[in-house]
Amino acid sequence: MTPLTARTRFSVLDRSRTREGHTHAEALRDTVALARELEELGYHRFWVSEHHGVPGVAGSAPTVLAAAVAGATRTIRVGTGGVMLPNHQPLVVAEQFGVLESLFPGRIDMGLGRSVGFTDGVRRALGRGKDDAEDFAAQLDELLGWFRGTSPTGVHARPAEGLSVPPFVLAMGEGAKIAARAGLPMVVGDLRDRERMRRGIDHYREHFRPSPWASEPYVVVSGTVAVADTPEEARRLLIPEAWSMAYARTHGAFPPLPPADDAAARDMTAKERDFYASGLAGHLAGTEEQVAHELETLLKETGAQEVLVTTSTYDRGALLDSYRRLAGIVNRAKNTGS
């Protein structure tokens, strides 16, 4: 039997995480450099994210960064994971993706999310409130209408109108219902809460309505995957992000990633230690053999057609090695099934 891994697409979302002792500019250049490396390794897509006012993330303008990534690569699909639609006017988003698709035809993806700013201050600066996320379905419909030329305003989105840029919905909870009703591919995470993930996928498949964008359900599962020579080295990859998330949950600020040894040695309150331990658990992490087995289990449980890897860590060399090893797992599965 052909391994499920062999029939699955593998893609990457890089969040342009900043690192202690390194600049925002370095984080952005690291993202572009990583895209070039992953293209050579055969990954299907490379996506970038949107965060505003977050010290630990340099990627605040995903369509701009996507243009840089697409310009530095040749074949890999490039997109956003995602543009947070409640933060923007749908016409402007359509125009931006129309420009991207015009410059890099056939390579652009439009990943869309329903989150608004990280803090009250960021939301005020954006002129948005938490309730704006409730309008996501209508915003999504308006956005897709600009590509179809169906806006009742009589205005035409140039150069978006008539172009086909594949839309994806980043879905947790309500997002899965919206993706199903709109007939769009769905990206669902994270891997640490498999039961919630499965519920979202089941609802999506059960209620999916075919659309001009997708004739049948398409599920992308996203989360952290860390592959190394030993389980201990794989766990080290997880430590900087786990510490950063624990700090954010207890201090309300998302900091740059520290080196793994520094993070593990830092004093933490009991509450921080709990968040830290939670941040280390539930990911796909280990040796190639271990991760290959866990991937097959994940794909059997979810029936996903694609895996979007979202790993962040301080050591960029170790991160690239992890992606190389993951690509090796996929290639071996394909050879086994051929």
Side-chain angles (χ1 to χ4, degrees):
M1 180 182 294
T2 302
L4 293 173
T5 302
R7 305 199 297 266
T8 304
R9 290 168 167 166
F10 281 79
S11 302
V12 171
L13 166 65
D14 190 73
R15 290 177 293 165
S16 304
R17 291 287 272 118
T18 57
R19 298 178 291 154
E20 290 183 0
H22 298 265
T23 66
H24 287 84
E26 286 178 277
L28 296 171
R29 287 194 290 266
D30 284 344
T31 292
V32 175
L34 181 62
R36 285 196 293 261
E37 296 279 3
L38 297 183
E39 180 176 66
E40 295 300 318
L41 290 172
Y43 283 87
H44 184 62
R45 309 180 204 275
F46 187 90
W47 283 5
V48 296
S49 63
E50 174 182 339
H51 295 83
H52 299 283
V54 180
V57 182
S60 56
T63 53
V64 176
L65 185 53
V69 169
T73 54
R74 304 182 312 280
T75 57
I76 194 169
R77 296 195 64 86
V78 177
T80 56
V83 165
M84 296 300 140
L85 196 50
N87 290 339
H88 309 281
Q89 290 296 332
L91 169 61
V92 175
V93 175
E95 291 171 338
Q96 290 172 345
F97 280 97
V99 169
L100 284 169
E101 176 64 19
S102 298
L103 291 172
F104 308 102
R107 291 181 56 205
I108 301 300
D109 300 321
M110 185 167 58
L112 305 162
R114 63 189 293 267
S115 298
V116 289
F118 185 64
T119 64
D120 289 338
V122 170
R123 287 189 288 272
R124 285 195 299 272
L126 291 169
R128 298 293 187 267
K130 287 184 178 180
D131 292 345
D132 286 308
E134 303 306 314
D135 297 328
F136 178 70
Q139 295 160 350
L140 181 62
D141 187 60
E142 179 185 344
L143 172 61
L144 298 181
W146 289 116
F147 287 92
R148 295 191 299 262
T150 58
S151 172
T153 63
V155 176
H156 297 273
R158 310 294 188 198
E161 188 173 309
L163 297 180
S164 181
V165 182
F168 295 74
V169 173
L170 277 61
M172 286 300 286
E174 184 64 23
K177 299 176 184 178
I178 293 170
R181 287 196 300 268
L184 300 181
M186 179 182 75
V187 183
V188 60
D190 63 47
L191 302 179
R192 291 176 297 175
D193 192 343
R194 299 288 180 86
E195 184 56 38
R196 184 184 181 195
M197 176 185 280
R198 284 194 295 268
R199 287 198 304 269
I201 291 171
D202 289 345
H203 178 94
Y204 168 72
R205 290 200 174 108
E206 182 180 349
H207 294 89
F208 182 86
R209 300 175 184 173
S211 74
W213 305 97
S215 60
E216 58 188 25
Y218 188 89
V219 174
V220 183
V221 292
S222 67
T224 295
V225 181
V227 194
D229 196 43
T230 66
E232 293 74 23
E233 290 175 19
R235 184 180 181 277
R236 275 176 55 83
L237 282 165
L238 307 177
I239 288 173
E241 183 77 6
W243 177 87
S244 185
M245 290 296 294
Y247 187 93
R249 295 287 297 274
T250 52
H251 292 77
F254 203 59
L257 296 174
D261 290 343
D262 290 0
R266 290 179 180 179
D267 291 331
M268 299 183 212
T269 65
K271 189 175 183 180
E272 287 171 333
R273 184 65 62 178
D274 286 344
F275 283 131
Y276 174 70
S278 176
L280 291 173
H283 306 292
L284 272 61
T287 64
E288 282 138 305
E289 183 178 355
Q290 290 170 325
V291 171
H293 175 73
E294 291 182 25
L295 278 171
E296 284 292 307
T297 300
L298 171 69
L299 295 171
K300 185 176 181 180
E301 289 177 353
T302 62
Q305 289 100 325
E306 188 167 342
V307 176
L308 180 69
V309 184
T310 62
T311 311
S312 296
T313 194
Y314 181 89
D315 186 338
R316 299 295 293 192
L319 179 64
L320 180 57
D321 181 66
S322 176
Y323 281 128
R324 284 192 184 116
R325 291 173 184 270
L326 178 57
I329 292 170
V330 177
N331 288 333
R332 282 191 293 276
K334 289 178 179 178
N335 292 334
T336 299
S338 60

